[in-house]
Amino acid sequence: MTVRATLRGRRFAVLDDFLDGAALEEVRRTMAASAFSAAESPLLTGQDGALRSRGTVVRGAAADLGAAGDPAAYGLVRSAVAAEPELFGRPGEDWDRVGFTFWNYPVGSGLAWHGDAGGGRRGSYVLFLHEEWRASWGGELMVLDEEEADTGTVELQVRESGSSPVAIVPRPNRLVLLRAGTPHRINRVDPTAALVRCSLTGFAMKRPDGAGADARDRFRELVGALKGASE
Ligand SMILES: O=C(O)CCC(=O)C(=O)O
Ligand SMILES: [Fe+2]
């Protein structure tokens, strides 16, 4: 199956049938072997909350410079991000690393309106990995295709906007690319959903400038490595 670009906005793009069968199976195996813990975020809106895989993997911009043992999906996602300079800017210059985290959203969980602006983030991607998703199971990724306002809350912006959010159904093997600073949320997963909403997500980011920021970054990496080793 070949990748199909099925929907494109000003600030987002949707690619379907993103991975071939072998790559999809491989990244699902990586997800199944990952340790998950409850995600704590003020954005989570569910009673049950979401789970995220421990120890986010971070890789550089070049798709062919992954670590040995990385699923092929990681390189393919980086290529897809690099192929969208209008959404993410220039690879290696505007962003130089991409994170990879698996997420599970069980029945009742969701994510509140937010924009993901700041922190050197240029954009994000979401790849849906569950085996099946019915249109009535909820969990849609809602996107308001406009720039996040610098005043007020994102929730207020969406409420007052003259346009309406687009509902992106979490179809398996669908990749969504989203420019940072675009209001979005995850609708709660419906009580009738038979499966957990599973995704691989991450940000394309630029390392912050300045020695202080560099030192902070190195410190975070060190803490991350120590935490990873103890988990
Ligand atoms: O899983 C999704 O559809 C989007 C996730 C998201 O917006 C985030 O983690 O910031
Ligand atoms: Fe987000």
Side-chain angles (χ1 to χ4, degrees):
M1 244 188 297
T2 47
V3 182
R4 298 175 296 139
T6 47
L7 183 62
R8 184 170 282 277
R10 275 174 303 169
R11 304 178 65 90
F12 73 93
V14 177
L15 304 177
D16 280 323
D17 305 324
F18 180 65
L19 299 176
D20 65 28
L24 182 57
E25 215 175 283
E26 181 193 32
V27 72
R28 279 175 173 153
R29 275 200 305 273
T30 307
M31 176 173 67
S34 302
F36 283 81
S37 49
E40 285 180 28
S41 162
L43 296 175
L44 294 167
T45 57
Q47 303 108 340
D48 300 308
L51 300 163
R52 55 170 291 162
S53 60
R54 294 187 188 178
T56 295
V57 167
V58 178
R59 297 288 179 253
D64 53 350
L65 291 178
D70 276 359
Y74 291 9
L76 293 165
V77 163
R78 278 177 292 163
S79 297
V81 169
E84 298 284 347
E86 291 193 357
L87 290 179
F88 294 98
R90 291 151 304 173
E93 289 173 55
D94 296 315
W95 58 275
D96 51 22
R97 56 198 171 134
V98 179
F100 297 88
T101 309
F102 295 104
W103 285 82
N104 286 347
Y105 286 85
V107 162
S109 64
L111 198 61
W113 283 106
H114 66 285
D116 289 328
R121 291 184 286 270
R122 290 302 304 238
S124 61
Y125 70 87
V126 191
L127 176 63
F128 300 114
L129 294 176
H130 32 257
E131 298 281 344
E132 183 196 348
W133 201 262
R134 301 215 183 144
S136 53
W137 286 358
E140 298 88 355
L141 171 59
M142 307 294 287
V143 177
L144 185 73
D145 197 7
E146 57 185 54
E147 189 174 358
E148 184 181 346
D150 0 296
T151 54
T153 62
V154 176
E155 205 275 340
L156 190 63
Q157 179 181 352
V158 178
R159 203 193 309 170
E160 299 295 325
S161 173
S163 79
S164 285
V166 176
I168 301 171
V169 173
R171 184 183 204 265
N173 205 13
R174 166 172 281 174
L175 180 75
V176 183
L177 303 169
L178 186 63
R179 192 191 297 183
T182 308
H184 60 285
R185 83 162 207 150
I186 303 176
N187 283 345
R188 281 181 198 237
V189 175
D190 194 82
T192 61
L195 297 180
V196 171
R197 181 191 194 271
C198 300
S199 57
L200 175 68
T201 77
F203 296 108
M205 301 164 282
K206 176 140 174 89
R207 197 173 286 273
D209 290 331
D214 265 6
R216 272 200 303 281
D217 242 33
R218 277 201 300 277
F219 178 72
R220 274 199 211 100
E221 275 166 22
L222 183 64
V223 170
L226 289 171
K227 275 181 67 185
S230 69
E231 276 168 6

